[in-house]
Amino acid sequence: MQAALLREGDAAGAVPVTKQIGSSHASGDIFRSVWARQNSTQEDHQQQLAVLRAVEEVLQQQNISLSAAAYFAALLSTLDGHRSRSITAPLPESEEKATAAACALLGCVIPKAPRAVLHKKLRMSLEMLDELAAAAAHSQAIVKSAVQCKEQLLLIAASDSVDPSSMCKSAGALLPLCTDARPKVRKRALKSLATFLEALAESPASQQRNYAFVCETIAKFTTEVLTLVNARNES
């Protein structure tokens, strides 16, 4: 899967990002906030830099331009590998930290990636993030970063009126997190869910009176809510 994702990212034709001032890396436009903290002593900041350098090294070894599409594909592939391993057994602490860092980097890339690439990988991306957050539910850092990435993808889906089924299934997965015992996770999930519903109401489909799309989306989301409620009642 990794090779396929990287080829798609390279073929997407995104404009290569410009070099960061004072840095040898060609990722300044996307990861400006990450490079700005390169002298930070905080472990999570250093972990993000380590993962970013590793991703860039792989892309350069494969002669793939350092573009937003390529970063998106590479980080998706990296996270999908972590997801696969986390399903079978708990991730080692070092890999958990790398996973959280990769999620944070993905959150930097999504706003810069071509919409066509995001649309094509929307379902796969949302499903992967949902499974990753569920498998690593004990890790607050992973869950928070995954939810933030989901919010960005859901906003794009709502704004562009694409794939209501995947959109609502993933939005429904936020519901249990809205009552999570951890305040930061709960706050993040509530904000993401509220932002998604607001974006749906203000989407072009709604403004253009494309009520068929809006009603379908709301109906699917309601189904997700009822499924969750029934599951809790049965337990």
Side-chain angles (χ1 to χ4, degrees):
M1 176 178 287
Q2 182 176 22
L5 281 170
L6 293 179
R7 284 196 298 272
E8 289 183 13
D10 191 38
V15 178
V17 294
T18 58
K19 285 188 176 182
Q20 168 78 346
I21 297 175
S23 169
S24 61
H25 296 272
S27 53
D29 283 353
I30 297 175
F31 302 106
R32 188 174 302 277
S33 62
V34 177
W35 288 116
R37 300 193 299 264
Q38 61 183 312
N39 295 322
S40 170
T41 57
Q42 291 190 31
E43 186 177 8
D44 58 333
H45 295 165
Q46 290 303 312
Q47 189 69 56
Q48 290 173 21
L49 283 169
V51 172
L52 178 54
R53 290 188 177 112
V55 167
E56 291 189 340
E57 183 177 350
V58 171
L59 293 175
Q60 290 169 343
Q61 287 174 351
Q62 299 188 24
N63 295 318
I64 296 176
S65 300
L66 298 181
S67 66
Y71 282 119
F72 178 75
L75 288 166
L76 266 189
S77 179
T78 298
L79 287 169
D80 191 56
H82 292 310
R83 177 201 61 80
S84 297
R85 290 187 291 277
S86 67
I87 290 175
T88 57
L91 296 176
E93 183 180 359
S94 59
E95 190 169 356
E96 276 194 7
K97 293 177 180 178
T99 303
C103 263
L105 293 174
L106 184 65
C108 296
V109 173
I110 291 173
K112 300 285 187 176
R115 286 296 179 97
V117 173
L118 297 176
H119 290 174
K120 184 175 182 180
K121 294 298 180 183
L122 181 68
R123 176 171 298 186
M124 177 266 191
S125 302
L126 289 172
E127 288 179 351
M128 184 273 294
L129 289 167
D130 284 334
E131 292 177 7
L132 179 63
H138 59 281
S139 171
Q140 177 170 282
I142 291 177
V143 174
K144 280 183 60 185
S145 294
V147 169
Q148 184 171 0
C149 290
K150 276 161 52 77
E151 178 185 324
Q152 293 173 320
L153 291 170
L154 288 171
L155 290 180
I156 290 170
S159 175
D160 297 350
S161 302
V162 296
D163 202 343
S165 295
S166 296
M167 189 193 328
C168 292
K169 182 177 180 181
S170 191
L174 291 171
L175 291 168
L177 296 176
C178 291
T179 57
D180 193 275
R182 294 163 293 188
K184 290 184 178 180
V185 171
R186 187 168 64 246
K187 181 179 179 180
R188 178 76 256 181
L190 286 167
K191 176 184 178 298
S192 295
L193 187 57
T195 301
F196 161 68
L197 293 174
E198 181 179 357
L200 180 62
E202 296 177 355
S203 67
S206 178
Q207 298 301 315
Q208 295 168 11
R209 298 182 181 275
N210 182 3
Y211 295 129
F213 174 83
V214 177
C215 289
E216 179 186 3
T217 303
I218 292 175
K220 289 181 182 297
F221 181 69
T222 303
T223 299
E224 294 296 330
V225 174
L226 293 175
T227 300
L228 175 65
V229 171
N230 289 334
R232 290 196 168 185
N233 289 338
E234 290 175 1
S235 62

